Amino acid sequence: MFKSSKGLAILIALSLFIFITAAQTLHFNTDRFTEPEETTQPEVVEEVKMPAPIVYGIATDSFEIVETVIERGETLSEILSSYNISPTTVSLLASKSKDIYNVRRISANRPYTILHLRDSAQTAQYFIYEPNNVEYVIYDLRGDLNVTLEKREVKVSERALAGEIKHSLFQSIVDAGGSPQLVNKFADIYAWRLDLNRIQPGDKFKLIYEEKEVNGTTIGFGQLKAAFFEHQGDSIYAIGFDEGNGLGYFDQKGQSLKKAFLREPLEYSRISSRYTMNRYHPVQKRYKPHLGTDFAAPRGTPIRTVGDGVVLEARYTRGNGYYVKVKHNKTYTTQYLHMSKFAKGIKAGARVKQGQTIGYVGSTGLATGPHLCYRFWKNGKQVDALGVKLPSANPVEKKHQEEFAALKEQTINQFNAIDVKSAKQGLLATGEQKEPAGA
């Protein structure tokens, strides 16, 4: 009996030991594979407030910004009346701005900005007007009123372009990345060396010029520093060189490309009728001499005097319409007919400079359409302006020849590095410079 009880106790103790050991093992494994619970907190996103933009140097923290353009016929008073500015205030503003920027000069399609308060009245605090890409006028409408004219920094880069004549000189230069301004300048330089109406496909050109930029936007070009033209295998360089009287253009021999007179009174235009002793007059319906050269051009195209001189006449006649006659010296006199109007200051006795605008193309007098009739006198006799042989301007002076020779070598090396067939408008290695604001 005792043995039986003893055996039973051992069996119970052994079973209990196995149970406890198994329970501990199970608890250990559970702890091993169970991750403790974590409490996830919601992520707090902090709102970052962007600073208000600075507009024309003005902090706009408390202003709304309105940007638009002047509508045709719109006045400053009409614009500002919508922003709680009275006609009396506008009148005072106009008076204050007269010597800085006259509000009467504000014109259609130019941009302006208004900065107004963030209230129900939306009262304007500033009116900023941009007359061009360089200047802007700040009209401060607060307190005693104030007007300031500011100018942006103009960056000047030296660029080059090149190409081959396909059809016309104009289209070829524009296709190469140039502008009508560059075409006109190029034509002026070469007008006395080449007949630009007879250039041929296959002729080649290269130009080195200055390009002006404001805030990364091209606003025009500066000087045409040099040009190259290959016509029927003949190479003619035009190297810009200043001897102290402004930029002139000289060939590789130091001879001036300029004549005492411009070849034509209009920038790169079309000849519609030449000098002849027997031409059928379209108005009078009869044959008669035509002792001038007609240039077809749109009404309002600027007409320039071909040389320095004094205005002999600036008046109207039934045949000539509005015309100007200029005496250049004892030998040469020129006349410009059928103008729509005279340029400011052009009257008998006024002195004019070569290239100065003296009037604008029209169709006054005996004319069937807008054009310029250009007439030329030599020693008191009318001659063909395009056929007369005129003296050249002076070559490079001896005292400047060494400086010119160095510039010529540098320029020719630049041109030699430009491949016409693969050339694209690009920045030259000379880099860029800053031009005084508003230049």
Side-chain angles (χ1 to χ4, degrees), residues 51-262:
I54 303 295
V55 177
Y56 300 98
I58 303 167
T60 61
D61 305 72
S62 57
F63 301 142
E64 289 291 338
I65 303 169
V66 177
E67 296 176 321
T68 184
V69 297
I70 305 287
E71 299 292 338
R72 187 166 297 279
E74 197 173 30
T75 66
L76 181 60
S77 184
E78 290 172 336
I79 294 170
L80 293 181
S81 65
S82 301
Y83 295 93
N84 203 29
I85 303 297
S86 69
T88 303
T89 302
V90 174
S91 180
L92 287 171
L93 187 68
S95 179
K96 281 204 167 192
S97 68
K98 203 168 184 180
D99 296 331
I100 301 168
Y101 192 89
N102 196 325
V103 297
R104 292 179 180 273
R105 294 170 59 193
I106 291 175
S107 57
N109 301 318
R110 292 303 308 169
Y112 71 87
T113 300
I114 284 179
L115 306 180
H116 67 75
L117 294 176
R118 293 172 179 164
D119 55 17
S120 58
Q122 296 187 339
T123 304
Q125 302 296 289
Y126 292 93
F127 173 79
I128 302 102
Y129 171 70
E130 296 194 20
N132 53 59
N133 292 322
V134 175
E135 298 175 317
Y136 56 93
V137 190
I138 300 177
Y139 297 89
D140 187 342
L141 307 173
R142 304 168 304 166
D144 294 334
L145 307 178
N146 190 36
V147 183
T148 55
L149 176 64
E150 303 289 345
K151 296 183 179 181
R152 297 183 175 96
E153 182 181 82
V154 179
K155 186 176 75 175
V156 181
S157 303
E158 191 172 281
R159 295 187 175 274
L161 63 82
E164 187 174 302
I165 302 297
K166 301 296 183 184
H167 300 290
S168 69
L169 174 68
F170 180 92
Q171 196 59 51
S172 298
I173 290 181
V174 170
D175 287 347
S179 68
Q181 289 175 296
L182 278 176
V183 179
N184 291 330
K185 188 65 178 176
F186 183 91
D188 275 347
I189 292 171
Y190 282 98
W192 289 104
R193 287 291 183 95
L194 299 167
D195 184 347
L196 296 175
N197 291 304
R198 296 183 179 178
I199 61 175
Q200 299 176 347
D203 289 348
K204 300 177 180 65
F205 61 86
K206 300 178 183 180
L207 289 80
I208 298 173
Y209 64 98
E210 292 176 338
E211 186 177 75
K212 294 184 177 182
E213 292 182 2
V214 171
N215 295 334
T217 301
T218 300
I219 61 168
F221 81 100
Q223 291 181 331
L224 177 55
K225 302 188 74 172
F228 166 86
F229 196 76
E230 183 182 306
H231 177 59
Q232 296 182 335
D234 186 22
S235 299
I236 305 173
Y237 288 89
I239 300 163
F241 184 65
D242 189 348
E243 295 183 280
N245 299 310
L247 198 68
Y249 294 92
F250 302 87
D251 64 16
Q252 55 268 50
K253 296 179 181 178
Q255 297 296 317
S256 175
L257 274 77
K258 179 183 176 183
K259 295 286 182 177
F261 296 89
L262 296 175

